[in-house]
Amino acid sequence: MKQDLIVILDLGSTSNTVLARAIRELGVYSEIHPHDITVDELKALKNVKGILLNGGENRIVNGQAVEIRPELYDMDIPMLSIDYPQSKCETQLYEIPGQETLKKFIFKECGAEANWNMKNFIEDQVELIRQQVGDRKVLLALSGGVDSSVVAAMLIKAIGQQLVCVHVNHGLMRKNESESVVKVFRDELHANLVYVDASERFLGKLENVADPEQKRKIIGGEFIRVFEEEARKLEGIDFLGQGTIYPDIIESGTKTAKMVKSHHNVGGLPEDLKFELVEPLKQLFKDEVRACGVELGLPYDMVYRQPFPGPGLGVRCLGAITRDRLEAVRESDAILREEFAKAGLDKKVWQYFTVVPDFKSVGMKNNARVFEYMVIIRAINTIDAMTASVEKVDWDVLEKITERILAEVGNVNRVCYDMSPKPPATIEFE
Ligand code: XMP
C-alpha cells in the first residue's frame, strides 16, 4: 500500500469530517470508522499509523455512552483522544486540535508520511479491489453521473473485463448524454458495457401521468426492473459496484449519527439479487471524487457536470410527459448549456436548466397566430442545495439564449426567466 492512514473513531462527534479533511490537508490519508471497530478490523486496514478518538457531547446514544473496545489500547498504535475523558490515552485534548498540534501528533508521534494524493489513492484502491474481487465479476449501474462514472473508471483500471457496466437510457437523458457514456466507456475505456435503450418502455409507462410523485415513483421503479432484468441475464456476478461517497454514508445515518435522508444508489435492489458491495469511493468527499475522476482520465465535462436528478428531464417536462415537450426541454437545455459555456457561466453557476410547463400561450409567427409552449430558464447558486439564490445572468446572454430557443426549438413561442429563490421555490419544479 502506498499511503499511510490515520483512523478517526466516530464517537458521535459532529466534527469527524472537519478533522478528516484537516488531516488530508496535511497530506495524510484519513478515514472515519465506527467506534466499535475490532482489533482485527483495524489490522485489516493497512498502514494505520495513528488513531484519533473523537469524543464530544454527542457520545450518548440511546441513553448509553459509546466507548471504544478496550483491546484497542493494547495495540501498538499511537492514540490521541479529543474530548473523551473516559479514554485510557495519556494524551488527552479537550477541543479539536489546531494544525500545529495535529502535525505534531501525525508526523512526530505517529511517524506518518505526507503521501496522500490521488495517484496513490487510486493505486491503493486498485490493489484493494483486486484483493476483494479476485477473478470474479462485478456489476455496475452506470448512469453517467459523476460518482458512477468515477467508480466505473476505477473498476476498469482494477479488473478490466471482469466489470460489467449496465447503462439504462430511460429516455429522459439530456441531449447526447447516453451517447457520451457509450463513447467514453465502451469506445475509449473499452469497458464491457451493456447499453439498454428503454426509452419507449419508460415513456409508455409515463403516458398521461401528471402527478409529480407518481412520475418519480414510476421512473425509479421501472429503472430497478430494467436493471434487474439485465442483471438476471448475466451469469456469475458476485459483486455490485456502487458510487457511494462519504456524504451518502453520513446522511443515511451511522451508528452514532441520525439519518438525514436515505440514499439508495441503485434504488434498493430486490433481496434475492444477492451481491457483495464494492464501494471504492466511500471515504471520499465530492471534490475528491472529481479529482479522482480527472486522475483516472475521465473527460472534464463528465467529472465537473452539474447535478442532474435521477428522474432526469422527466421532472422538467411538467405534468404528463409528451414527446414534443420533452424534445423542447432537451433542445432548450442543450442551447442553454452551450451559451452558458460560451459566456463562462458553466464554471460559475451551480445549476442551470430549462423547464417546459404543460400549457400553451398565444403568440405570432410569420404574421399568423400560434398557440405554443413556453420555456422557463432557471439558474441558481447554492452551497448545499437546501437553500438557493438566483444567478443574475447578464441581459445580453439571456437575450441570445432566448433568440436561439425561439428560432431553433419547435412548438415554443415564449421564454421566461425564473426569479424565485429556494425557499419558497425548490430548485426543480417537480
Ligand atoms: P430541490 O428541487 O429539492 O433539489 O430543491 C435539490 C437538488 O437535488 C436535485 N434533485 C435530485 N437529485 N435525484 C437526484 O439525484 C432526484 O430525484 C432529485 N430531485 C432533485 C436537484 O437537481 C437539485 O440539485
Side-chain angles (χ1 to χ4, degrees):
M1 300 291 281
K2 300 271 177 190
Q3 300 180 126
D4 291 343
L5 174 61
I6 299 290
V7 169
I8 298 167
L9 291 190
D10 172 13
L11 288 142
S13 169
T14 49
S15 62
N16 288 324
T17 50
V18 176
L19 200 54
R21 296 211 62 141
I23 297 168
R24 290 184 195 183
E25 265 157 38
L26 294 175
V28 181
Y29 185 49
S30 67
E31 288 186 354
I32 304 163
H33 286 273
H35 65 278
D36 56 357
I37 192 168
T38 64
V39 169
D40 286 345
E41 285 165 340
L42 254 175
K43 282 184 183 157
L45 303 170
K46 312 274 162 41
N47 282 3
V48 178
K49 297 287 175 177
I51 301 174
L52 285 161
L53 310 178
N54 197 20
E57 72 283 5
N58 295 330
R59 216 163 51 78
I60 311 292
V61 175
N62 299 331
Q64 287 240 311
V66 296
E67 307 285 354
I68 66 160
R69 291 175 192 270
E71 311 87 84
L72 262 51
Y73 294 110
D74 301 329
M75 292 178 80
D76 193 19
I77 301 177
M79 279 186 179
L80 176 66
S81 96
I82 305 159
D83 202 2
Y84 178 27
Q86 288 80 356
S87 92
K88 293 185 193 141
C89 296
E90 298 305 319
T91 318
Q92 295 254 15
L93 299 176
Y94 286 90
E95 56 188 25
I96 287 291
Q99 213 189 41
E100 284 314 308
T101 314
L102 261 186
K103 272 188 183 166
K104 186 166 163 264
F105 175 69
I106 291 169
F107 297 117
K108 290 233 172 79
E109 289 179 41
C110 304
E113 278 181 42
N115 50 18
W116 146 252
N117 56 50
M118 269 311 148
K119 201 166 170 291
N120 286 346
F121 175 80
I122 291 167
E123 282 193 35
D124 284 355
Q125 288 304 319
V126 163
E127 192 181 324
L128 290 170
I129 293 166
R130 285 182 183 153
Q131 274 170 20
Q132 184 186 5
V133 174
D135 58 4
R136 291 177 289 168
K137 283 190 189 160
V138 181
L139 176 67
L140 177 75
L142 176 59
S143 67
V146 180
D147 304 340
S148 72
S149 298
V150 177
V151 169
M154 178 85 93
L155 287 165
I156 291 166
K157 189 173 169 74
I159 54 169
Q161 296 295 303
Q162 288 162 254
L163 171 71
V164 185
C165 300
V166 175
H167 176 70
V168 177
N169 177 357
H170 52 24
L172 305 165
M173 307 290 280
R174 295 181 300 184
K175 193 173 181 178
N176 296 331
E177 206 158 21
S178 281
E179 290 82 350
S180 139
V181 169
V182 172
K183 180 172 167 286
V184 170
F185 287 96
R186 186 185 280 166
D187 303 346
E188 292 169 18
L189 297 176
H190 308 293
N192 190 353
L193 173 70
V194 179
Y195 171 69
V196 189
D197 184 355
S199 310
E200 289 304 318
R201 180 170 168 169
F202 277 82
L203 295 182
K205 291 265 173 192
L206 287 163
E207 212 165 354
N208 299 322
V209 181
D211 178 66
E213 279 308 302
Q214 184 88 23
K215 282 166 69 180
R216 280 175 174 270
K217 281 203 187 104
I218 290 173
I219 298 167
E222 203 55 23
F223 185 86
I224 294 166
R225 243 160 280 143
V226 174
F227 188 71
E228 187 193 4
E229 282 170 24
E230 293 305 318
R232 289 198 197 286
K233 284 186 208 159
L234 302 163
E235 304 249 307
I237 304 254
D238 294 304
F239 297 89
L240 186 70
Q242 291 253 49
T244 315
I245 69 173
Y246 196 66
D248 300 341
I249 293 183
I250 303 175
E251 289 191 353
S252 299
T254 59
K255 284 178 184 165
T256 55
K258 288 201 184 66
M259 185 179 97
V260 181
K261 58 181 170 183
S262 61
H263 285 254
H264 299 282
N265 279 315
V266 189
L269 285 172
E271 287 276 303
D272 59 338
L273 281 180
K274 290 207 176 0
F275 293 114
E276 202 181 306
L277 295 180
V278 184
E279 300 174 293
L281 309 180
K282 72 176 177 196
Q283 289 284 346
L284 295 190
F285 297 95
K286 193 77 183 188
D287 54 323
E288 294 169 341
V289 172
R290 294 191 207 273
C292 184
V294 170
E295 184 68 35
L296 285 162
L298 289 177
Y300 181 91
D301 284 355
M302 191 169 254
V303 169
Y304 282 91
R305 89 208 264 281
Q306 49 169 327
F308 187 61
L313 300 182
V315 294
R316 296 176 182 171
C317 183
L318 307 186
I321 297 169
T322 56
R323 284 164 203 258
D324 58 346
R325 283 191 305 113
L326 183 59
E327 207 44 34
V329 180
R330 186 174 283 130
E331 290 300 322
S332 57
D333 171 77
I335 292 171
L336 177 74
R337 284 191 286 138
E338 214 177 293
E339 292 301 325
F340 261 43
K342 275 191 211 158
L345 291 173
D346 56 334
K347 305 213 170 45
K348 176 173 179 251
V349 182
W350 200 82
Q351 196 171 11
Y352 45 96
F353 54 88
T354 60
V355 169
V356 177
D358 54 347
F359 60 83
K360 293 179 174 177
S361 72
V362 175
M364 260 177 59
K365 279 184 184 172
N366 303 321
N367 290 328
R369 179 190 186 275
V370 287
F371 191 46
E372 291 178 327
Y373 298 117
M374 75 164 63
V375 167
I376 301 172
I377 297 171
R378 186 140 175 77
I380 59 94
N381 290 306
T382 177
I383 302 223
D384 53 10
M386 302 300 282
T387 61
S389 61
V390 176
E391 169 74 15
K392 289 183 187 159
V393 181
D394 185 74
W395 195 256
D396 291 344
V397 176
L398 281 179
E399 270 185 345
K400 177 78 196 297
I401 295 166
T402 302
E403 219 170 80
R404 281 196 60 193
I405 290 176
L406 292 177
E408 297 172 35
V409 182
N411 303 310
V412 171
N413 64 355
R414 206 176 282 270
V415 176
C416 299
Y417 188 66
D418 184 354
M419 296 289 291
S420 331
K422 174 181 179 176
T426 52
I427 296 174
E428 303 288 347
F429 276 52
E430 288 191 336

